[in-house]
Amino acid sequence: MFATLKTRSPEEWLGVGLMTLVLVLLSSQVIGRYVLGWSFAWIEEVSRFAFVWAVYFGFVIAAEKDRHIRVSVQISMLSPRMQKIALTFADMIWLVFNAIVIWFGVIYINDMFSFPMVSQTTGINIAWVQMIVPLGFFLLSIRVIQVMIRRWKYDEGVIDTRLDE
């Protein structure tokens, strides 16, 4: 069991931690509201922020394992070399898209720090929450590049995302 825990990536640990935080916060809000008769407005907002961050870490995890949703039936009909070429081409397009999102995300975050928009219940600058967009796509790009290298170095073929590991 401990060997499995050591093989987890930082994104998996952060995602699990954030989803645990969401579960604890929302459970305490429900128990507090319906059992104890109290509630805090900030709990829902913080849990929403944590959930958004957890979702972004989730798609980074999917990219790390090359498990993103893609139509792979036509790719699996190609020869192994053509499969790698087609997947690499698709990943290159994906990296260009990621670069665009990162670029405009950084500009957007910079503007949000220049003209802050503050959360009503927590009082934090929303830029800290929105920062996950360029950060998530940056981490995603790193994982996509790692998968591309692994695919060519270790002859990994198409992974059928319909099947579990």
Side-chain angles (χ1 to χ4, degrees), residues 45-63:
E45 192 166 283
V46 170
S47 63
R48 190 176 326 119
F49 297 158
F51 183 73
V52 169
W53 275 66
V55 167
Y56 273 83
F57 285 123
F59 73 66
V60 173
I61 294 165

Side-chain angles (χ1 to χ4, degrees), residues 16-28:
V16 166
L18 289 167
M19 286 306 293
T20 303
L21 178 67
V22 169
L23 177 70
V24 168
L25 288 175
L26 291 180
S27 297
S28 66

Side-chain angles (χ1 to χ4, degrees), residues 26-46:
L26 291 180
S27 297
S28 66
Q29 180 77 332
V30 169
I31 291 168
R33 183 176 295 161
Y34 294 109
V35 176
L36 304 174
W38 56 260
S39 70
F40 295 108
W42 64 267
I43 289 179
E44 292 179 36
E45 192 166 283
V46 170

Side-chain angles (χ1 to χ4, degrees), residues 136-154:
F137 276 88
F138 175 73
L139 295 172
L140 177 67
S141 298
I142 291 171
R143 294 302 188 181
V144 168
I145 292 168
Q146 288 174 339
V147 167
M148 289 169 54
I149 292 169
R150 240 185 14 235
R151 190 179 296 133
W152 284 94
K153 191 173 181 179
Y154 300 111

Side-chain angles (χ1 to χ4, degrees), residues 70-86:
R70 66 169 56 141
V71 180
S72 57
V73 173
Q74 76 279 15
I75 295 174
S76 63
M77 293 180 189
L78 299 172
S79 68
R81 179 164 172 73
M82 287 305 295
Q83 286 180 9
K84 284 194 274 189
I85 291 170

Side-chain angles (χ1 to χ4, degrees), residues 108 111-113 115-119 123-128 130:
Y108 179 66
D111 287 346
M112 288 185 79
F113 277 118
F115 305 101
M117 198 183 334
V118 178
S119 165
I124 65 170
N125 188 344
I126 296 295
W128 291 106
Q130 297 292 329

